[in-house]
Amino acid sequence: MNRYDQLYINGQWTAPINGGRFDTIDPSDETLITQVAAATAEDVDAAVAAARNAFDNGPWPHLPGHERARVLRRIAALIRERQQALAELEVRDNGKPLPEALWDIGDTAGCFDYYAELAEKLDDQREQGIALADDRFTALARMEPIGVAGAIIPWNFPMLMAAWKVAPALAAGCTMVLKPSELTPLTALELARIADEAGLPAGVLNVVTGLGADAGAPLAEHPDVDKLAFTGSVPTGSRIMQAAARDIKNISLELGGKSPFVIFADSDLDAAVEWILFGIFWNQGEVCSATSRVLVERALYAPLLARLEQEARKITLGNGLEDGVLLGPLVNRGQYDKVLAAIERGREEGARLVCGGERPAHLDKGYYVQPTVFADVPEDSWIWNEEIFGPVVCVRPFDSEEEAVRSANRSRFGLGAAVMSRDLQRCERVARKFRAGIVWINCSQPTFTEAPWGGYKHSGIGRELGEWGLNNYLETKQITRYDSQQPWGWYIK
Ligand code: NAD
């Protein structure tokens, strides 16, 4: 038995019913970290039954908000206490550089604190009177937890993506089953341990590790789950939506993106290059909102590309635990092969490779890909339009604001978009024209727990974070009372 080869169900650590295990690999050197429990439909049944029982018969949904907040704050404090160890575990499982993992874990704790505050406020805001035109009635709207939530998350920000769902669901009074990605399951199991230590009642949070088809699909299809919250790829999101349709489950989807970054010629060159780099090389480009399509006004195009190449070549690749590393390995062999194949396709499609495009010569083990810049990328090419989810940026010139906006919006995705110019009026105007859920002006990627997160078009349905994140886990009930002393007088006169 190791620390990670059991499931957390009903407040107990239990072996999967069929005894299955899968490997989790360190992407920096391709070695085995540990084996993890592989849940199947029977384990998912047990986890959902525990969550159902905790919701229908347990105290959690009915506790005053400040009592739920107390547990959430304890979870936040324990995460902060273990920030270094959790961040190192995240680096080993995912590959990201340690400073980024430390940032993620700090944000994870912050997310629990933030939703603790909203849980407290919910006590005052739970019931709101409604002004009715007919004064014989009084009515109110009351917010109640939606029930049992099933949360399925990806591998790029493992613990943070868990927090974005677990913290608001618990704040609302829901119970839940969390299924982390099979590529990065370890910090979700640590979160279960922390929740247990923080005094979360048994069955409120259940964590089942396992493969998508074996553990994720049975969770999505389970009739006792009231709400599905999913972050991941578009094809899986579509499958989850089909499963939800059968039982009319409430659903929120955070899916992929191919986010544009429009840079006008009056921009400061240093700032433009810095934010382009941050927009695509942070987290190895394995970021749903990465600004992977860059549109540069023609007068700045050549100098910007020269500077971008110069800076991209300086980025230090290596094991995320080493000092000074700014780009770690991709998460696994599959992602590495996918990114290298996309680069090859870009070459074949006639895009000009400015730098990168290969495995770094000095690293013979691990899933490393150089920071890669393509210029003159054809607008109808695969690499301009499809999500690569790696350190690959595509750049094109533009000649007018209208052309830039049209090209930016010419995508089936609509998650993020960014614009840079010294002319703030122009930035504000373009921001309002983007068909995207998250728009950055003069920056790219900073993310705030208080602000809504989610996409238009194929990038998803619904919003996480902020009050929108809490609303994902609330139902609205109307309570109407007949107050008149006059009989209704319809049948009985
Ligand atoms: P993925 O869809 O392959 O997997 C996501 C999760 O779904 C995993 O836990 C997986 O086990 C599970 N899963 C797989 N098949 C399933 C099935 N049939 N039924 C139920 N669950 C199943 O995605 P990924 O490769 O882990 O993540 C990368 C994708 O996530 C990218 O497209 C990225 O853009 C997106 N993403 C979006 C956001 C956002 O906020 N919009 C954030 C992070 C990642």
Side-chain angles (χ1 to χ4, degrees), residues 73-87:
R73 289 211 174 89
R74 255 187 248 135
I75 293 175
L78 286 168
I79 292 170
R80 275 203 190 89
E81 229 171 68
R82 294 170 203 178
Q83 185 169 2
Q84 185 70 28
L86 288 168

Side-chain angles (χ1 to χ4, degrees), residues 151-157 161 164-165 179-184 210-221 230-237 239-240 243 253-257 286-289 331 335 338 387 389 413 415 438 453-455 459-460 464:
I152 301 176
I153 56 169
W155 44 260
N156 55 347
F157 295 90
M161 290 298 106
W164 283 20
K165 294 178 172 37
K179 210 293 282 171
S181 167
E182 57 271 41
L183 304 184
T184 55
L211 309 186
D214 300 342
L219 180 57
E221 288 161 11
F230 173 76
T231 299
S233 63
V234 175
T236 311
R239 253 178 249 132
I240 303 263
L253 301 173
E254 303 284 348
L255 308 176
E286 295 167 327
V287 179
C288 51
S289 56
V331 72
Q335 193 61 21
K338 201 178 130 207
E387 186 176 47
F389 225 58
F413 297 110
L415 188 57
I438 307 144
W453 182 273
S459 293
E464 294 195 289

Side-chain angles (χ1 to χ4, degrees), residues 24-103:
T24 187
I25 303 290
D26 183 336
S28 72
D29 58 9
E30 306 172 38
T31 58
L32 176 74
I33 305 175
T34 188
Q35 286 208 311
V36 178
T40 56
E42 287 170 293
D43 304 298
V44 172
D45 270 349
V48 173
R52 187 80 258 166
N53 183 48
F55 188 80
D56 292 343
N57 306 312
W60 188 255
H62 312 290
L63 289 179
H66 69 264
E67 287 188 33
R68 284 201 301 279
R70 204 163 46 222
V71 179
L72 292 176
R73 289 211 174 89
R74 255 187 248 135
I75 293 175
L78 286 168
I79 292 170
R80 275 203 190 89
E81 229 171 68
R82 294 170 203 178
Q83 185 169 2
Q84 185 70 28
L86 288 168
E88 286 174 12
L89 189 64
E90 203 80 302
V91 174
R92 291 201 64 207
D93 216 9
N94 165 278
K96 63 178 72 198
L98 184 62
E100 295 185 15
L102 283 164
W103 179 295

